[in-house]
Amino acid sequence: MDANDAAWKILQDGGEALDAVEQGVRVSEADPNVDSVGYGGLPDRDGHVTLDACIMDEQSRAGSVACLEHIMHPISVARKVMELTPHVMLVGEGALRFAEEHGFTRENLLTEKARNAWEEWKKMSGYTPHVDKNNHDTIGMIARDANGNFSGACTTSGLAWKIHGRVGDSPIIGAGLFVDNSVGAACATGKGEAVIRIAGSAIIVELMRAGKTPQEACEEAVERIVHRQRDYKDFQVGFIAMNTKGEVGGFSIHKGFQYALRSQDRNELIDARFRVS
Ligand code: ASP
């Protein structure tokens, strides 16, 4: 909701969707109490906080960073990749060097709380990453501005205790996020591997292009995961989407996925419908 407040302020002042989504998700990136995004994010199994983020605008421009360490606002680095380079995606050391060249400063992103959680995990896990319904929760945001233009942003510290170097869906255009200004936008949260395997957000946009409502499109994407991925009971995935009529939808595999909606007349946290009870 705080992220939406920041984004909404920009939209209300007549600002662009691109600025709204960037500023919106920066709120979560800077919040040490959000343990799945940015500062305060839970580390990988080696104790490194590695961040993934991407951004996409109404002109189908896109920027992305993956496995980026030490930088509090990966979404803003992703935007710089989009605006200042001929590329879409930078990873690891190269992404860090690029960020520093553009004025971002190195910070320690591993909070005391996250370090303690990691120390606890190491005692129990025997160094084996495990994906369950609780160790992830990315922030993805899509916005449409007064000109009817869409943008989207997605940012995460990824799965807690992942293997160092693992990249999920969140920085991958078409998986964690997709925008097509003539149709709408979609984004994902949950187990990235499951989302990548169905090109989740791109599929939802294509389903909307083919005439499905955002709600139907999100449901169909979850259905594809459930049909093809046998272990779906063990992990969570949630999608949200919006179309050019301003209709929205959200759906997840399991109970518990919530999304925040802000519009002229609505400001609410919605419990998404889900596939498996
Ligand atoms: N989608 C993210 C990933 O797989 C995890 C999350 O939603 O927190 O990295």
Side-chain angles (χ1 to χ4, degrees), residues 42-50 67 69-70 110 114-115 118-119 121-122 125-129 159-166:
L42 294 171
D44 64 18
R45 67 179 186 175
D46 299 334
H48 299 277
V49 179
T50 66
C67 207
E69 292 186 56
H70 313 303
L110 185 65
R115 174 184 290 280
W118 174 59
E119 300 286 359
W121 170 81
K122 275 198 297 185
S125 75
Y127 209 62
T128 309
L159 295 180
W161 334 130
K162 62 196 173 184
I163 294 172
H164 184 65
R166 177 266 186 189

Side-chain angles (χ1 to χ4, degrees), residues 4 142-144 150 183-186 204 208 212-219 239-251 259-263 266 268 270 273:
N4 270 5
I142 50 190
R144 193 167 68 125
F150 282 92
V183 177
I204 289 172
M208 293 195 293
K212 298 227 185 256
T213 64
Q215 184 63 35
E216 290 165 347
C218 290
E219 292 183 15
F239 293 109
I240 57 170
M242 178 168 33
N243 66 12
T244 49
K245 292 184 200 158
E247 296 169 331
V248 298
F251 199 69
Y259 60 99
L261 175 64
R262 188 74 180 250
S263 67
R266 293 172 76 182
E268 54 192 302
I270 297 172
R273 287 166 47 207

